[in-house]
Amino acid sequence: MDKRTQEFLNDPVMPLLARMSAPNTIAFFIQSIVVLTEVWFISKLGTSSLAAVALAFPLLMITQTMSGGALGGAITSAISRSLGANDVDKAEKLIWHAIIISFGGALIFLSLFVLFGESLLMLLGGKNEILSESLAYCTVLFYGGVLLWLSGTLSAVLRGMGDMKFPATLMVIASFIQVCLSGCFILGWYGFPKLGVPGAAVATLISASLMVSVILWKLLSKSVIARLQLHQFILSKDLFNNIFEVAIPGSLSPLFTVATILVLTGLVGQFGTEALAGYGIGSRVEFLMIPLIFGVGTAMTAIVGANIGAENIERAEKIVTEASEQSNRISVPEISNLETLKNFLSKFPKKGYLLFCDINCENNNLPLLNIYGGKLTTYRKLSEKVMPVSYTHLTLPTNREV
C-alpha cells in the first residue's frame, strides 16, 4: 500500500483534511478570479455581449458541474476506495472507465445542444445579436466539450490517488494561460483574431487541452501508484456501476442548481438586454463563494473513500462528522474595506443594469445571500455589507413586478 493511502487511513483527521484541502481551495479560488476576468474582457465588447454570456452561463455550468463535480467526485471516490482496499489493478481499470464515460457525457451533451440548444437560448430570452453570440459561444464549447470532461475526470483520478497538489498546481498554471488567451481571442490582443464572445470558449478549451495532455503524461509515467496502461483496457459493467452508483445521486445537486439558474435567467431575460447583462456579472461574482466548498469536498471524498475501501467504517464516519463540524464553524469574514467591491463594480460599463431582489424580509432586514441553490446560505453579514454598496452602482426598480 502506498504512503499516501496509509496517511488517509491513519493520520489525525483535521490536520490531514487541512493539508489535503488547501491546494484545491487555492486553485479553485484562482480559477474563480479567471472567470471574473473573462467577464471584464467581454464587458469591453458591450452590453449585448455580456447578455450573451449570461444566456450561455447555465449551459457552461451544467458541463462543469457534471464533469468535475458529480462525475469527478464519483471517480475520486471509486479510485480511492480501490486503493484503500489495496487493489491497484482495479484502480487502473477504473481510469479507462472514467475516460469512456467522459467521451460519452460529452457526446450526449453535444447531441442535446444540437437538437435543443438554439430553442433553449431563445426560450431564455435570446434574440438577434444576443442569440447569435450566445449560440456561437455554446457551439465552440460543446463541440470541444470532451476536453472539459476529460480535464475534470482525469484531475479527479489523481485526487483519488491522494495527489491534490499536482492537479491544483496544473489548474493554477492553466488559469493564468486562460487569462492571457482570453484577452487575445476576445479582444484581439497581439495580432490574434478578435473572436469576441466565442473567444472565451476557445481560451477555455485550449487551457483544458493543456491540462488533459499533462495529466495523461502523468498517468503514463511511473510517478503514480495507478497508471494508465493499455493492457488494463478491460471494460466491465461492475466497474461502470462502481462509478455510477455515486455519480447518479451526486448529479441531482448540479441538475437542480442549473435548473434554478435556467429559471432565473429566463425571468431576467424578460426585462431586456441590460438586465441580462447585469445578471451575467452577478452570476460570475458567485464563483468567489465556492472554492472552500470544493476544496474541502474533494479532499473529504478521497479520504473517506480510502477508508471505506479499507473497511474502516468507524474512521470514515469520524472523518465526516469532524469535518462537517469544523466546516459549520467557518464563517464568511466581514468586508472591512468596501472600496474593493466598489472598484470592481466600477470597472463595468454603467448601462442601468437592473437588480431584482426580495426586500420583504422579517424586521426589514436585508435579504439573505443565497448561492447555488442553497449550497451556501444564511450569510446575512456578507449580504448586509454587499447590498448597500450595490445600491450605489445598480438601478433598482421602483415596483415589485417580476
Side-chain angles (χ1 to χ4, degrees), residues 49-58 134 261 265 276-277 279-281 283-284:
S49 295
L50 278 174
V53 171
L55 210 60
F57 179 64
S134 184
I261 296 175
T265 303
L276 201 55
Y279 175 71
I281 297 174
S283 63
R284 294 312 199 276

Side-chain angles (χ1 to χ4, degrees), residues 58-88:
L59 303 185
L60 171 64
M61 275 294 298
I62 190 64
T63 301
Q64 292 180 329
T65 54
M66 289 296 287
S67 61
L71 180 59
I75 291 168
T76 296
S77 174
I79 296 289
S80 62
R81 278 180 281 146
S82 299
L83 295 179
N86 203 23
D87 193 345
V88 177

Side-chain angles (χ1 to χ4, degrees), residues 78 81-82 90 94 238-246:
R81 278 180 281 146
S82 299
K90 180 180 178 181
L94 282 167
D238 289 338
L239 293 183
F240 277 120
N241 289 338
N242 203 235
I243 295 175
F244 284 129
E245 67 184 9
V246 176

Side-chain angles (χ1 to χ4, degrees), residues 14-338:
M14 293 316 300
L16 175 64
L17 185 62
R19 192 166 67 249
M20 292 295 105
S21 301
N24 291 321
T25 301
I26 294 171
F28 283 121
F29 179 76
I30 292 176
Q31 191 177 55
S32 300
I33 299 298
V34 170
V35 171
L36 293 177
T37 305
E38 278 191 345
V39 174
W40 183 76
F41 287 150
I42 292 172
S43 73
K44 300 300 181 182
L45 301 175
T47 304
S48 62
S49 295
L50 278 174
V53 171
L55 210 60
F57 179 64
L59 303 185
L60 171 64
M61 275 294 298
I62 190 64
T63 301
Q64 292 180 329
T65 54
M66 289 296 287
S67 61
L71 180 59
I75 291 168
T76 296
S77 174
I79 296 289
S80 62
R81 278 180 281 146
S82 299
L83 295 179
N86 203 23
D87 193 345
V88 177
D89 186 71
K90 180 180 178 181
E92 291 183 340
K93 290 184 175 69
L94 282 167
I95 298 175
W96 285 108
H97 287 72
I99 293 174
I100 295 298
I101 295 173
S102 296
F103 275 94
L107 181 60
I108 291 172
F109 273 46
L110 174 60
S111 301
L112 291 174
F113 172 73
V114 171
L115 292 174
F116 308 110
E118 185 173 1
S119 299
L120 177 61
L121 293 174
M122 292 175 65
L123 183 64
L124 295 177
K127 54 185 178 181
N128 302 328
E129 184 181 358
I130 296 176
L131 177 62
S132 176
E133 289 186 319
S134 184
L135 190 62
Y137 174 90
C138 290
T139 299
V140 173
L141 192 72
F142 281 102
Y143 273 94
V146 67
L147 295 171
L148 295 178
W149 281 80
L150 285 173
S151 65
T153 55
L154 292 178
S155 295
V157 167
L158 292 179
R159 294 188 188 104
M161 299 181 198
D163 188 350
M164 305 294 169
K165 290 183 180 179
F166 187 86
T169 301
L170 188 58
M171 184 185 295
V172 171
I173 295 172
S175 295
F176 283 114
I177 294 174
Q178 184 176 337
V179 168
C180 297
L181 291 175
S182 294
C184 291
F185 286 112
I186 294 174
L187 302 176
W189 288 355
Y190 305 111
F192 278 76
K194 184 178 180 180
L195 303 179
V197 173
V202 172
T204 299
L205 293 180
I206 292 176
S207 63
S209 68
L210 293 175
M211 285 191 65
V212 170
S213 300
V214 175
I215 295 176
L216 285 174
W217 169 81
K218 176 80 169 177
L219 292 174
L220 290 169
S221 71
K222 296 181 179 181
S223 62
V224 291
I225 183 64
R227 298 169 59 193
L228 183 64
Q229 303 188 73
L230 188 58
H231 73 270
Q232 297 285 27
F233 184 60
I234 304 172
L235 300 184
S236 163
K237 180 181 178 181
D238 289 338
L239 293 183
F240 277 120
N241 289 338
N242 203 235
I243 295 175
F244 284 129
E245 67 184 9
V246 176
I248 291 176
S251 66
L252 294 178
S253 176
L255 285 175
F256 283 125
T257 298
V258 173
T260 302
I261 296 175
L262 282 171
V263 173
L264 289 174
T265 303
L267 290 173
V268 174
Q270 304 304 310
F271 291 91
T273 301
E274 292 180 343
L276 201 55
Y279 175 71
I281 297 174
S283 63
R284 294 312 199 276
V285 174
E286 290 178 353
F287 265 95
L288 292 175
M289 305 297 293
I290 64 175
L292 180 63
I293 301 299
F294 271 46
V296 175
T298 51
M300 279 186 63
T301 301
I303 299 170
V304 172
N307 282 272
I308 293 294
E311 298 184 356
N312 194 351
I313 307 301
E314 184 177 348
R315 176 174 165 84
E317 292 175 345
K318 179 182 178 182
I319 292 169
V320 173
T321 301
E322 292 190 15
S324 299
E325 289 176 353
Q326 291 298 323
S327 297
N328 288 335
R329 294 191 184 102
I330 298 175
S331 60
V332 176
E334 294 187 20
I335 302 176
S336 57
N337 185 1
L338 297 181

